[in-house]
């Protein structure tokens, strides 16, 4: 596993919205991901692992898992592009607890189509 800290929504160091991004070869258990998020002590720590044609994404705060995090998703795909794991000009799928996200990776931008919300169950 490799971990990066990415500042989303900026082109300046120490600006924007920071998130830790963990790029993994295989999934980690929830307890380990939670411990990493607690140690990072950022608003979110993203965990990304490629599975087939998609990336499986999860996000943890120091207090627990969240179903969706925009800036950590953008940060994840920025890290994946920077280190040659995805290509500019490509469109990728992120499988998440909140549904599938479509992420378009450009040379200078990462665009995310938010998942359709799940039906509210009573």
């Amino acid at each position: 596993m490799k971990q990066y800290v990415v500042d989303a929504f900026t082109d300046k160091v120490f600006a924007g919205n920071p998130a830790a991004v963990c790029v993994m070869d295989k999934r980690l258990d929830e307890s380990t991901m939670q411990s990493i998020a607690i140690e990072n002590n950022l608003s979110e720590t993203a965990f990304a692992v490629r599975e087939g044609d998609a990336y499986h994404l999860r996000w943890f705060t120091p207090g627990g898992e969240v179903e969706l995090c925009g800036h950590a998703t953008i940060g994840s795909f920025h890290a994946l592009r920077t280190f040659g794991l995805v290509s500019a000009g490509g469109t990728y799928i992120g499988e998440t607890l909140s549904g599938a996200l479509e992420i378009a990776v450009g040379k200078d931008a990462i665009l995310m189509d938010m998942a359709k919300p799940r039906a509210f169950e009573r």
Side-chain angles (χ1 to χ4, degrees):
M1 178 182 80
K2 295 184 180 182
Q3 179 175 286
Y4 311 95
V5 174
V6 178
D7 292 318
F9 310 127
T10 187
D11 60 356
K12 295 178 177 53
V13 172
F14 307 120
N17 201 348
V21 175
C22 298
V23 179
M24 308 174 300
D25 294 326
K26 63 180 181 174
R27 290 188 194 201
L28 296 175
D29 62 86
E30 289 182 12
S31 173
T32 300
M33 290 187 285
Q34 184 63 61
S35 293
I36 291 168
I38 290 168
E39 185 168 298
N40 287 333
N41 200 30
L42 291 169
S43 62
E44 276 83 20
T45 297
F47 296 88
V49 61
R50 182 154 193 152
E51 294 181 341
D53 292 334
Y55 277 88
H56 182 76
L57 303 172
R58 292 180 76 177
W59 309 276
F60 285 78
T61 72
E65 186 169 15
V66 295
E67 289 189 9
L68 183 62
C69 182
H71 81 282
T73 301
I74 299 293
S76 295
F77 278 86
H78 172 76
L80 293 168
R81 180 189 62 199
T82 299
F83 296 102
L85 300 172
V86 299
S87 300
T91 300
Y92 301 89
I93 300 297
E95 295 292 340
T96 77
L97 291 177
S98 64
L101 303 175
E102 186 174 283
I103 298 102
V105 177
K107 180 181 174 199
D108 298 318
I110 311 275
L111 303 174
M112 181 174 76
D113 187 12
M114 298 294 282
K116 293 180 182 174
R118 293 183 180 187
F120 181 72
E121 296 180 23
R122 294 179 192 220

